[in-house]
Amino acid sequence: LLLTKRFELARVPTDELKNPDFKAYHITVEITIENRGSKARDVAYLLDGPTGMPVEGWWYSRKIGRTWSGGGLRDVAAHSLRDGANLISTAKIVEEETEVEEDPSVNLQLSTGEPNPLAYIGVETQYFAAILIPLDEENDESQQYKSYRGIVVGDQHPDKAKLYLTNVTSQVASVTHQIAAGEKVRQKFQFFTGPKKRQLLEQYDVPGFPEPVNLSELIYYGWAIWGLFARPLTDVLNFFYGIIPNYGIAIILLTVLVRLCMFPLSRKQALNAQKMQELQPEIKKITEKYKGDMEKRSKALRELYNKHHYNPLAGCLPLFIQMPIFIGLYRALMTDVALRQAPLVSKAFPWADNLAAPDMLLRWDHLIPIPFLTAATGWLGPYLNILPLITVFLFILQQKLFMPPPTDEQSAMQQKVMKYMMIFMGFMFFKVPSGLCLYFIVSSLWGIGERKFLPKTKQAEPAAGTAKTTPSPTAALPENGSAKGNAGKGKKKKRRKK
């Protein structure tokens, strides 16, 4: 048997040299197996995929997985007729390899079932992919494979907290080919290596596959509803970048556009909150009157709300609408390669030169040596990020400025819990992309300004149970006088008595 593997570079026409999206991010790989013996031979082979994909930003970057287990840094991406689009995470691959090492009787070898047409297979990271696409050439078995899987290349990472840094790749098992004496079997692949950019990936169709497939499905936003928001938000963001070539400004313009579209709802929410402030004295009266009777208190509050046409749930509507926009933008920032290494302002500010990463103002892991906080795998990471702190500060400021005063101990406790939740969110989102923090900051500033320009609330009436000042006879207003004058006369009478 003579095995030959041939590589051919893609050619770029002279007039397309300046086109970054021209379809030339691939090489053609041809595998030929020739039978030089005197008898027919049955031949099958294993084909390993690309290895050594970069892991830049490993301590903060994450991919969106197609299952609940999520994605890692380097995952095996595949699409077969039987399984559809599939993503095998690094964690899953390491787990299977560990099972084999601990118990050799476990058989994780490629299964021998019906041939499974394969559209593509390879390794992908957050912004790049290296993918093999079988080409349908001279026989109908060129895309037929028994099965595929992910395998570990080299040793697993020694640190269990960093297992996702383990180097992995793909492996496919071909169907069995019967090669007659003097004959050969030839199979071709397109080997794509490039950025996960939609305009580019859409050009890489899979020829001869039973269903239409192209590599653009490597850009995955999660559930379909998030993609409905993430994709147009990405397009709008790139549109603004085309006008002003700075993604920091593009995110600001996108935020302003989103807030303008939501202005009718946010204005209604603000007016609803103001009406709540106006009703605070009455709510306090009812709360004190029916302290021990929840049923009567709820009934009285419902009557009060109906009388003043106030809906306590109306303020939640903008939040429910903003949630998919927020998650959609978060997914867009996680997947759009254009934001990778795009500066917040310019490269003159090295602490914020990558909108797809945290801003990283100051390295502090040596100043605060607390592993679960400031280690690379800790909650906060090795850098002090200033933009999440500004975001949380603005959230708390909005709450302080516009949250109505509590009417009882329960509402006071709820407001305290909300404040602590804001701080907890700061921990949770401390390593999110700085572009997302920029969106939150601009949106919060817009919200504060929006509320400041609304009409002021009415003066709240004193609550029941508070002491009211009873006017004395001398302080009463005369029919044609003033309180001041009347008080003056009283003083003169007192002097005469003395």
Side-chain angles (χ1 to χ4, degrees):
L1 293 175
L2 177 66
L3 174 67
T4 307
K5 189 182 284 186
R6 182 172 177 268
F7 301 90
E8 182 182 347
L9 294 171
R11 299 181 183 275
V12 184
T14 307
D15 56 344
E16 295 287 353
L17 288 174
K18 293 184 179 180
N19 180 8
D21 295 331
F22 184 76
K23 185 183 176 182
Y25 286 78
H26 67 275
I27 58 178
T28 302
V29 183
E30 182 183 83
I31 296 174
T32 306
I33 304 174
E34 182 182 357
N35 182 4
R36 291 192 169 184
S38 58
K39 297 179 180 179
R41 299 287 296 272
D42 290 336
V43 178
Y45 62 86
L46 295 177
L47 180 64
D48 289 354
T51 179
M53 293 284 282
V55 289
E56 63 178 12
W58 61 270
W59 61 272
Y60 62 81
S61 66
R62 290 292 182 273
K63 292 206 317 296
I64 304 161
R66 291 181 178 270
T67 62
W68 290 107
S69 61
L73 285 172
R74 293 178 285 206
D75 300 321
V76 172
H79 186 124
S80 69
L81 189 62
R82 186 185 302 152
D83 304 322
N86 192 13
L87 191 70
I88 310 172
S89 69
T90 305
K92 178 72 173 174
I93 297 168
V94 170
E95 179 186 342
E96 290 184 349
E97 292 278 347
T98 305
E99 286 181 15
V100 174
E101 289 175 4
E102 292 177 351
D103 185 2
S105 65
V106 175
N107 184 11
L108 288 176
Q109 293 301 314
L110 295 159
S111 60
T112 56
E114 290 296 321
N116 186 17
L118 191 66
Y120 62 78
I121 190 166
V123 182
E124 67 163 21
T125 63
Q126 187 168 9
Y127 297 115
F128 298 94
I131 302 292
L132 278 166
I133 305 173
L135 298 178
D136 188 11
E137 288 290 324
E138 55 194 42
N139 59 72
D140 59 359
E141 292 186 346
S142 61
Q143 288 174 321
Q144 301 291 330
Y145 292 88
K146 286 182 180 177
S147 56
Y148 62 88
R149 67 170 181 167
I151 60 172
V152 173
V153 180
D155 297 327
Q156 296 179 14
H157 199 282
D159 188 346
K160 288 187 177 181
K162 300 177 183 176
L163 278 179
Y164 51 84
L165 288 174
T166 303
N167 191 13
V168 298
T169 189
S170 59
Q171 187 180 76
V172 293
S174 75
V175 295
T176 301
H177 300 273
Q178 189 175 61
I179 310 176
E183 298 295 323
K184 61 179 68 174
V185 168
R186 181 183 291 110
Q187 290 193 301
K188 278 190 176 183
F189 303 85
Q190 256 185 355
F191 181 40
F192 170 86
T193 55
K196 289 160 63 175
K197 191 176 180 183
R198 189 186 302 123
Q199 295 92 321
L200 176 63
L201 296 178
E202 284 175 345
Q203 301 176 59
Y204 284 89
D205 297 307
V206 180
F209 198 68
E211 57 188 35
V213 177
N214 63 55
L215 293 188
S216 65
E217 67 181 19
L218 293 174
I219 301 175
Y220 181 66
Y221 300 111
W223 292 348
I225 187 172
W226 308 138
L228 288 175
F229 286 89
R231 182 162 180 168
L233 285 172
T234 304
D235 293 338
V236 172
L237 190 65
N238 290 324
F239 169 76
F240 284 134
Y241 179 80
I243 299 173
I244 302 174
N246 181 283
Y247 272 106
I249 296 174
I251 290 174
I252 293 173
L253 293 175
L254 175 63
T255 311
V256 171
L257 178 63
V258 169
R259 293 305 304 241
L260 280 173
C261 293
M262 294 187 59
F263 178 72
L265 283 174
S266 59
R267 183 177 182 275
K268 190 173 182 179
Q269 181 190 28
L271 292 173
N272 204 55
Q274 287 191 350
K275 182 166 281 191
M276 180 65 173
Q277 284 186 322
E278 294 171 21
L279 296 176
Q280 284 299 304
E282 294 299 321
I283 293 172
K284 194 169 184 180
K285 285 181 186 178
I286 292 170
T287 304
E288 291 180 356
K289 185 176 179 180
Y290 302 108
K291 263 185 181 178
D293 195 331
M294 287 289 294
E295 188 177 343
K296 287 185 178 179
R297 187 201 305 179
S298 301
K299 184 180 178 184
L301 286 174
R302 283 197 302 271
E303 290 173 356
L304 176 68
Y305 295 157
N306 291 334
K307 179 182 176 183
H308 292 276
H309 307 289
Y310 170 73
N311 181 5
L313 298 177
C316 301
L317 183 60
L319 178 64
F320 284 122
I321 293 176
Q322 283 190 72
M323 187 59 68
I325 294 175
F326 151 63
I327 296 179
L329 182 64
Y330 182 36
R331 299 293 171 87
L333 293 175
M334 285 176 69
T335 55
D336 192 359
V337 67
L339 291 170
R340 173 183 170 267
Q341 298 183 357
L344 177 67
V345 181
S346 73
K347 291 293 183 180
F349 298 90
W351 61 274
D353 62 351
N354 187 357
L355 286 169
D359 54 271
M360 296 182 277
L361 177 67
L362 171 71
R363 181 145 196 156
W364 65 353
D365 53 344
H366 61 287
L367 301 174
I368 310 175
I370 306 175
F372 77 92
L373 281 179
T374 58
T377 54
W379 274 14
L380 303 180
Y383 289 90
L384 169 63
N385 310 320
I386 194 67
L387 294 181
L389 299 179
I390 297 173
T391 302
V392 172
F393 169 75
L394 289 173
F395 283 165
I396 295 173
L397 178 63
Q398 274 186 296
Q399 183 181 348
K400 187 175 179 62
L401 289 175
F402 306 123
M403 184 73 73
T407 56
D408 52 22
E409 291 182 4
Q410 185 180 358
S411 58
M413 179 61 69
Q414 287 175 350
Q415 291 189 14
K416 281 183 182 178
V417 169
M418 285 183 65
K419 188 180 293 184
Y420 295 139
M421 280 296 293
M422 296 292 182
I423 298 171
F424 181 70
M425 280 180 62
F427 279 92
M428 293 295 292
F429 293 98
F430 198 74
K431 294 192 285 188
V432 301
S434 54
L436 188 66
C437 289
L438 180 61
Y439 168 82
F440 277 136
I441 290 168
V442 177
S443 184
S444 297
L445 291 173
W446 177 284
I448 292 171
E450 195 176 76
R451 293 289 290 271
K452 286 293 184 182
F453 282 104
L454 285 176
K456 303 297 179 186
T457 56
K458 298 176 184 177
Q459 187 68 34
E461 298 175 9
T466 56
K468 293 186 180 180
T469 307
T470 306
S472 64
T474 55
L477 288 172
E479 292 181 3
N480 56 357
S482 67
K484 186 178 177 181
N486 204 26
K489 288 178 185 178
K491 287 178 184 177
K492 287 179 182 178
K493 284 179 184 177
K494 285 178 183 177
R495 286 195 196 103
R496 280 201 215 69
K497 273 187 179 182
K498 286 179 182 178

